[in-house]
Amino acid sequence: MAVMTDNPAPTRGPSVALRYALRELRGALSGFYVFIACIALGVLAIAGVGSVAASLHDGLAREGRTLLGGDVAFSLMQREAKPDEIAFLRQRGDVSVAATLRGMVRASDGNLALVEMKAVDDAYPLLGRLKLTPEMPVSDLLAERDGAYGAASDATLLARLGLQLGDRVNVGSATFQIRSVVESEPDKLAGGVGFAPRFLVSADALRATALLQPGSLVRWTYRVRLPDSGDRAAKILTDDVRSQLPQAGWEIRSRDNASPQLERSISRFTQFLTLVGLASLLVGGVGVANAVRSHIDRRREVIAALKALGATGRDVFAVYLTQVMVLAVIGSLIGLALGAMLPFAIVGLFGHLLPLPVVPALHPGALALSLLYGLLTALAFGLWPLARVHDVPVAALFRDAAHTESKRPQARYIAWMALVVSVLIAIVIGLAYDKRIAAIFVLSSFVVFVLLRGIAGMLMAIARKLPRPRMTMLRLAIANIHRPGALTPSVVLSLGLGLTVLVTVTQIDGNLRRQFMASLPEKAPSFYFIDIPSTDADRFTTFLKDKQPQSTVEEVPMLRGRIVAARGVKAEDLKPSTDAEWVLQSDRGISYTNEIPRGSRVVEGEWWPRNYSGPPLVSFEKKLADGLGLKLGDDVVVNVLGRDISARIGSLRSVDWQSLGINFVLVFSPNTFRGAPHTHIATLTEPQGAPAQDAALVKAVADAFPMVTTVRVREALDTVGAVITNLTLAIRGASAVTLLSAILVLSGALAAGHRHRVYDAVILKTLGATRARLLGAYALEYLMIGFATAVFGVIAGSVAAWLIVTRLMNLSFAWQAGSAAGVVLAALIVTVGLGLLGTLVALTRKPATVLRNL
């Protein structure tokens, strides 16, 4: 062995530490497989999520014009653009007009179905390709022939109503012949998630349906393809429209934000999955600490020899720190390679099924970030066990591990570790889409670490103070929990972190399913009815009460408006909180009434009198008002039907959104919209236990009021539930990585104690203990530790899930006892199974080989 002396710095430079570190690793990798696997899994999760998200963002950016349907899109709600507004757009480029709204399709046999209607002109699509089966020009598809307008529908509608190509259906006052099936639309993603099958018609056909009543909930979109498709030309057009047509009330999108809601959702979901990946990396960090501690324990003689031959504590620290970082780089590179391949694998295997444009590529930024996470995590968790080597005397290193001193590292090493942890936290929060959620994650991780260490200490203290039971196996199990060098801290940390994450995910998953798929609130309505003409509102309410006198009917006026300014600041210049920014991003449903809406409660201010005739007042939802920095007395300007209407905030309300009843963010005093064209919206809530007559009611409404659209609440929630299911599948996949890391760390922790288990087993067998008694003692030990850890994991995970569901998602929370019990059972099986597996190996060792080395 080479001798390390007190020569000048060149002899002790980084190259010397690297040379000794590599020599040490030549035959010592067997103890670091868990180390490498933990780092690789965590980096894989983060690199994979980052690469897929970056590929998706690239796809959206590359296909932005196609997804938008033009270079710039201008949208209006409830009204068409005026002739001068359309002329202004046509002077700048090619224009295509599309209108979208919901309607009811009636088949010849009387069956009805809700559809998402889309009326287009002959210029559609300006960009991209409309895929039809069979293929035909749009002009031929939608032309009027033999008394029927042409239409293309989603295959789902054909299956739902038992239709075939060529069949005729009615929508409102118009007759349509279904001539083709819509396979894909180039601009579908820009319109958001639909709740019903697509029904594609012409603009003339839409007018023939007579659905375009004053105030109907129809969105008109004017897409412009510019001669110069550069970003500068799009910005110039946008600025000109805002300056020359300020009262139009356009919602404007350019190709770099073709679907802003989709991109925000992707960013949020990416952050969530990244945090789950970070949780996996943190769980793996415990494995890093266990592996380093075990490695130092195995190399005590080597360390002692190095120090006896002149190596300083700093020299030894440098050698083993270099080892740790080399292994961290190896694990990180493995994770990087697998994570970088993930977008290519997804496109190769599922590309034909993906509704989103994923462009697989290598993304150096995402990969570099995941590499940094991996190295910082290994450094943060490896410094503490490494630093203890510095001041341990040679004599102590030669003693048995059970008597090794456990002292706090020097202050400088603690400072380095604090610096590394601070950098890691700064990166996690600084690069997060939602910094509040990232900060909560960091704080929660710290609290869980502290609590788990406290749980381990408490278990050891309780075991130490328990009276000595007469049962040999139980006495031995309790002694193993608190003895010097016990596995309790390592097992509790590794298992507890994984279980906490798993319980959090399963509780959130269960609550989302309960909320959207399993059970509706008892007071939730069964139907929504939209586009009720204001002249027929009273007659429609009477009709519903006559048809179902046992049901509750609620009807309110409804308009659409977009907040353009608040407290004298333009909407685009407001700085809303993350929870409130959505209210500024598009048109919102608004209403007016003299009475406080059901499900609302005034928490600040007062409601206006019944005969109020003063300046317009508005009642704002309290949480959103706080998120926008609004208070009583502030002015809010809303663009409705092309007019800017200013109102003063007279009250703030708390709204029970989970009732699914009719409620609005903005409710105005009735005098605000006197004379404005609008429609009404109504709900029908059936009493519990009442016989379902859905089909008959839908048919009766369609016969008496063909302009009214009926929406079954259950169908809408099933659509949302399908989206939730797809999202939770991804969350489960990411959490599975965390659970796998926890199992690896647990197995590593148990393997680290294998040397002690062999020693104990040999001594006890020599003194007469049977194999069955030893197995029973170890099983009881692992069972007690595993159960205590599982209980903590269930409690901590349930609390975390409750905070996420109630505070971030604003949903109700119900504890999922079944999933919690499953987690506890799985934890016990894994802990006891892995523990006994290692014990069986220890029991097979021959006593003579061990006793010789004592």
Side-chain angles (χ1 to χ4, degrees), residues 69 90 94-98 120-126 221-224:
R90 294 192 186 279
D94 299 326
V95 178
S96 175
V97 183
V120 299
D121 57 13
D122 292 339
Y124 178 83
L126 286 177
T221 303
Y222 301 83
R223 297 181 172 91
V224 182

Side-chain angles (χ1 to χ4, degrees), residues 364-426:
L367 297 178
L369 181 61
S370 60
L371 174 63
L372 184 60
Y373 278 137
L375 297 181
L376 287 176
T377 301
L379 193 57
F381 282 88
L383 274 175
W384 186 279
L386 282 174
R388 289 187 173 186
V389 175
H390 186 280
D391 292 327
V392 177
V394 174
L397 286 171
F398 279 115
R399 294 187 193 129
D400 186 78
H403 302 289
T404 300
E405 295 181 27
S406 178
K407 57 186 295 186
R408 188 180 302 275
Q410 288 187 1
R412 63 167 172 243
Y413 294 115
I414 295 177
W416 289 352
M417 188 170 65
L419 177 61
V420 172
V421 172
S422 300
V423 171
L424 187 58
I425 292 174

Side-chain angles (χ1 to χ4, degrees), residues 154 156 432 473 582 637 733:
D154 193 299
T156 305
M473 288 191 298
W582 62 271
V637 181

Side-chain angles (χ1 to χ4, degrees), residues 534-802:
S534 56
T535 54
D536 291 337
D538 293 338
R539 187 167 66 90
F540 183 81
T541 300
T542 303
F543 174 85
L544 287 182
K545 290 181 177 179
D546 290 342
K547 286 294 180 182
Q548 294 209 351
Q550 76 280 11
S551 299
T552 301
V553 178
E554 184 181 2
E555 170 265 317
V556 297
M558 180 176 179
L559 301 90
R560 300 288 295 188
R562 185 166 57 87
I563 298 175
V564 295
R567 50 183 172 80
V569 180
K570 291 184 178 180
E572 54 268 27
D573 296 328
L574 289 171
K575 300 186 184 303
S577 66
T578 305
D579 293 340
E581 60 183 6
W582 62 271
V583 79
L584 302 175
Q585 291 160 0
S586 185
D587 296 282
R588 303 262 72 82
I590 58 178
S591 185
Y592 62 85
T593 180
N594 275 322
E595 300 178 355
I596 300 174
R598 292 177 57 187
S600 289
R601 179 171 57 89
V602 175
V603 293
E604 289 187 31
E606 295 181 355
W607 199 258
W608 44 82
R610 176 172 292 276
N611 297 321
Y612 178 76
S613 59
L617 295 175
V618 62
S619 178
F620 216 111
E621 201 275 335
K622 177 67 166 61
K623 290 183 179 179
L624 293 172
D626 291 342
L628 296 176
L630 302 179
K631 59 184 183 301
L632 292 177
D634 286 343
D635 289 329
V636 177
V637 181
V638 180
N639 187 280
V640 180
L641 298 172
R643 291 182 54 197
D644 286 346
I645 297 175
S646 178
R648 180 173 56 85
I649 297 179
S651 65
L652 300 175
R653 290 170 296 121
S654 173
V655 180
D656 178 17
W657 298 108
Q658 296 177 49
S659 67
L660 301 184
I662 305 177
N663 235 309
F664 301 87
V665 173
L666 298 166
V667 178
F668 290 81
S669 56
N671 61 322
T672 307
F673 300 110
R674 185 175 289 117
H678 63 276
T679 58
H680 286 235
I681 183 172
T683 61
L684 183 142
T685 306
E686 298 173 336
Q688 292 294 315
Q693 299 177 352
D694 292 0
L697 179 62
V698 172
K699 186 176 185 304
V701 170
D703 290 339
F705 300 90
M707 312 310 169
V708 174
T709 298
T710 303
V711 180
R712 287 186 178 92
V713 172
R714 171 64 68 180
E715 291 181 358
L717 288 180
D718 284 345
T719 302
V720 176
V723 176
I724 294 297
T725 299
N726 293 332
L727 295 180
T728 52
L729 284 176
I731 296 172
R732 287 178 185 176
S735 62
V737 175
T738 304
L739 184 60
L740 181 57
S741 295
I743 294 174
L744 282 173
V745 173
L746 178 60
S747 64
L750 295 172
H754 179 71
R755 180 179 174 186
H756 300 289
R757 288 293 186 235
V758 171
Y759 176 86
D760 292 345
V762 167
I763 297 298
L764 291 171
K765 285 172 67 178
T766 302
L767 296 175
T770 63
R771 178 172 298 189
R773 184 164 294 181
L774 290 175
L775 285 175
Y778 291 138
L780 283 174
E781 174 192 352
Y782 297 133
L783 190 63
M784 288 186 286
I785 296 175
F787 182 75
T789 306
V791 169
F792 170 82
V794 168
I795 295 174
S798 298
V799 170
W802 172 75

Side-chain angles (χ1 to χ4, degrees), residues 438-454:
I440 291 173
F441 169 81
V442 170
L443 179 61
S444 301
S445 300
F446 176 76
V447 170
V448 168
F449 265 101
V450 172
L451 289 177
L452 283 172
R453 193 63 185 86

Side-chain angles (χ1 to χ4, degrees), residues 784-834:
M784 288 186 286
I785 296 175
F787 182 75
T789 306
V791 169
F792 170 82
V794 168
I795 295 174
S798 298
V799 170
W802 172 75
L803 289 172
I804 292 172
V805 171
T806 58
R807 296 293 186 266
L808 298 181
M809 298 181 178
N810 293 320
L811 301 173
S812 64
F813 180 84
W815 189 59
Q816 308 293 308
S819 64
V823 169
V824 173
L825 181 60
L828 295 179
I829 292 174
V830 170
T831 307
V832 176
L834 288 176

